[in-house]
Amino acid sequence: MTKIALAAAIGLATMLASGSALAGKDLDAIKARGAVICGVPTGIAGFAVADSQGKWVGLDVDVCRAVSAAIFGESDKVKYVPLTSQQRFTALQSGEVDLLSNNTTITLQRDTALGLDFTAITYYDGQGFMVNKKLGVKSAKELNGATVCVAPGTTTELNLADYFRANKMSFKPVVIEKVEEIRAAFFSGRCDVYTTDVSSLAATRAANVPPPATPEDFVVLPEIISKEPLGPMVRHGDNQFADIVRWAQYAMMEAEEYGITSKNVDEMLKSENPTIKRILGVTPGMGKALGVDEKWVYNIVKQVGNYGESYDKHVGPNSLLKIDRGVNKLWTQGGLQYAPPIR
Amino acid sequence: MAAATALAALTLAHGAAAGPVLDAVKARGALACGTGTGTAGYMLADSTGKWKGLSVDVCRAVAAAIFGDADKVKYQPLTSQQRFTALQSSEVDMLVGNATWTLTRDSALGLDFVGVYYYDGQSFLVPKKLGVKSAKELNGATICVAPGTTTELNLADYFRANKMTFKPVVIEKVDEIRAAFFAGRCDVYTTDASSLAATRAANVPPPRTFDDFLILPEIISKEPLGPVVRHGDNQFADIVRWSLYAMVEAEEYGITSANVDEMLKSENPTIKRILGVTPGMGKALGVDEKWVYNIVKQVGNYGESFERNVGLGSPLKIERGLNRLWTKGGLQYAPPIR
């Protein structure tokens, strides 16, 4: 009964969304409620964590805030729902949340069989390498002959072997099953290198270094050797809302590319550059196409910052996590972050 | 009627039944693919009427995924002014007309871009005898451009930003623009660099040659070219999206049209999953488990398609550049097939 009612609602929304300018049911519900409901992780430093005042902060959280700024002109109209990886897809499918910004890897199965869509890639994660600084290594390409701590029977182990083979290097594996034992082995010097996903390496460095050593004694190398693209997801049935989520992210990247920051955005309103005028709504049109206020990008950048500002604040070299921009640099700087044009 | 749609939506969400576009494609026995009217290397009918090119290969990949046969495509050449209307009105199922993915097109038209098959950018083609080496020297030039395109807007933006003026010569049909340019009705022809390379490779009227023309070094815009579908059939959109990603993923894992049969014996769990030796991906997408095998066998991986159609071994002689795989310093990146 409930399923049929839900299905009817989805069906209707699909019909409305097809080729019409009407808002879909998700956007309608968000506006009526006065808040975006955003499914976030239960707590991952740098990505989504509630601070001592209960305020959610992080790279994933900034996606929710940007969507709120686009829809309401205020980035704080967000209700955060912490979800485990088991709960998250069901919560989105059932309408409990409007979107997920949940450190979720985009995969074929998740994009197809669940009735969900990813909108864009917020963070290119993947397997990387952490080393002790005294090893004097700046790149994974310099790891020939290294002793490497790795968990057994994982894709991580296969990727490791593939990468060394492809680069004509050898390594000596130290295979340990439990995460805390791998860390202990690495910090006690049983291996030169610890390999797993970069976000996890960064968290280990930030939280698990045994004194008197400090996080500064370790470095995560810039290479990413596998694909774990993280991005927000929405459910099928409201194309306009999906577009708002997608372009709110792209707006943060486009703002970085054009040098628009939270600090200079008011100055930028006076720019003569036609692209900047269009992005910031000085030349109207983009807001109308998306069905939001023409100042949507202004509001995002003013209140949340551009992508680079968000990255630096939450996970960048000056944050607790100290993750190199690496593949998350803009395409103009050698990275993969590329927004289609706002025009 | 609402009940029927509702049911369709529910089952669609579980990956079993098809949406309206996929149903129509299957009933017709062919994919209706909207292309441009003709751009060498990207979409061009050869002397036997067979369509070829990098953009065409996306349609072929989708047909291979749905039918197991890359030839089950009906091509519909469309001008840049016709293309979106043709897609909205269901005259075609998808577009590969070298349309740039922009906010306006992705939001206000009831359409979705599902990926980027070529990272392009707008540039300028001039005769060498004009003696110009940079777009910054084009003040006062007469410029041939197609109407109703982002190209026209970028052109105006660029000249305004550089405090220069120009005289537009606006012509709709590509072959007429080229004729006007080669006849000297304009000093400059502007469109995406890919298209300029194609024009220079295939359309210079004798006795002049390829070497009498120059593409200026400035790229004045981001022109990510991608396949477009209309709203309302998420499963079909997913098939188009992942058919393109499958070509990119195959290149990353070294699977080519020449070795794909050998690769079926690979012990690499990722390759087994991609090629359907370990089933699951086809089911999730609602196509045969051999969908990637069929794409790679019949169309090739992304790198093969690029080299054959537009790469250094082709008449266009375009460098991979931004279109290299992410592992080689480019932007082409497919989320994992798992």
Side-chain angles (χ1 to χ4, degrees), chain B:
Chain B
M1 181 163 142
T5 312
L7 190 62
L10 180 66
T11 48
L12 175 62
H14 291 268
V21 179
L22 188 57
D23 278 346
V25 171
K26 285 180 173 170
R28 193 191 303 126
L31 178 72
C33 196
T35 68
T37 51
T39 305
Y42 294 85
M43 46 205 158
L44 195 63
D46 68 13
S47 53
T48 63
K50 192 171 153 70
W51 282 83
K52 287 182 175 168
L54 182 71
S55 317
V56 165
D57 277 353
V58 179
C59 298
R60 291 175 48 76
V62 173
I66 295 174
F67 296 111
D69 183 349
D71 290 333
K72 299 211 165 181
V73 184
K74 189 174 151 265
Y75 295 97
Q76 175 74 53
L78 299 164
T79 66
S80 47
Q81 296 210 314
Q82 297 167 328
R83 57 191 176 184
F84 297 119
T85 314
L87 181 58
Q88 287 166 326
S89 66
S90 301
E91 194 185 324
V92 296
D93 304 314
M94 60 181 285
L95 282 183
V96 292
N98 281 16
T100 299
W101 182 357
T102 70
L103 182 144
T104 309
R105 290 170 175 176
D106 193 44
S107 57
L109 301 181
L111 306 176
D112 268 330
F113 282 73
V114 297
V116 178
Y117 59 73
Y118 188 85
Y119 289 91
D120 206 351
Q122 187 175 340
S123 190
F124 302 95
L125 179 68
V126 297
K128 275 191 184 153
K129 65 169 198 257
L130 198 65
V132 163
K133 290 260 187 298
S134 156
K136 301 266 168 69
E137 302 166 35
L138 292 177
N139 193 15
T142 308
I143 301 184
C144 281
V145 62
T149 60
T150 53
T151 313
E152 200 182 6
L153 293 172
N154 293 336
L155 175 64
D157 283 356
Y158 182 78
F159 274 72
R160 200 178 309 122
N162 286 284
K163 301 189 181 12
M164 302 191 299
T165 61
F166 68 100
K167 223 170 87 186
V169 176
V170 178
I171 301 171
E172 186 170 351
K173 290 200 174 150
V174 172
D175 43 350
E176 290 174 11
I177 298 186
R178 287 177 188 144
F181 171 68
F182 289 121
R185 276 186 57 203
C186 45
D187 305 314
V188 184
Y189 173 25
T190 187
T191 188
D192 295 349
S194 61
S195 185
L196 295 177
T199 297
R200 189 175 58 157
N203 304 101
V204 177
R208 285 175 296 171
T209 68
F210 185 93
D211 296 315
D212 292 322
F213 295 89
L214 179 68
I215 296 173
L216 300 178
E218 286 83 0
I219 296 276
I220 67 164
S221 70
K222 286 190 282 193
E223 306 286 347
L225 310 181
V228 197
V229 299
R230 63 182 165 274
H231 289 169
D233 189 339
N234 291 107
Q235 190 191 353
F236 180 70
D238 285 342
I239 292 172
V240 178
R241 176 182 297 116
W242 287 94
S243 293
L244 175 57
Y245 283 153
M247 292 177 72
V248 175
E249 189 81 336
E251 182 181 5
E252 186 172 336
Y253 283 90
I255 309 167
T256 68
S257 58
N259 73 12
V260 65
D261 287 294
E262 270 306 302
M263 283 289 189
L264 288 174
K265 298 171 213 147
S266 168
E267 288 301 316
N268 181 318
T270 304
I271 292 174
K272 290 171 84 163
R273 198 164 50 227
I274 291 171
L275 292 179
V277 176
T278 305
M281 297 302 105
K283 187 180 175 202
L285 204 52
V287 297
D288 191 275
E289 293 293 352
K290 297 196 85 177
W291 66 290
V292 182
Y293 172 87
N294 289 327
I295 290 172
V296 177
K297 180 84 179 176
Q298 298 176 37
V299 186
N301 69 34
Y302 180 79
E304 289 181 277
S305 177
F306 191 99
E307 290 309 325
R308 178 174 66 229
N309 294 303
V310 303
L312 295 177
S314 79
L316 267 71
K317 301 188 184 0
I318 299 177
E319 298 266 1
R320 267 302 275 278
L322 284 179
N323 291 292
R324 287 192 295 256
L325 291 187
W326 73 289
T327 50
K328 310 283 191 196
L331 294 178
Q332 289 294 356
Y333 178 104
I337 295 185
R338 68 173 189 239

Side-chain angles (χ1 to χ4, degrees), chain A residues 293-313:
Chain A
D293 192 275
E294 294 292 352
K295 297 196 84 176
W296 66 290
V297 182
Y298 173 87
N299 289 325
I300 290 172
V301 177
K302 180 83 178 176
Q303 297 175 41
V304 185
N306 68 33
Y307 180 77
E309 290 181 281
S310 176
Y311 188 100
D312 289 344
K313 180 162 64 185

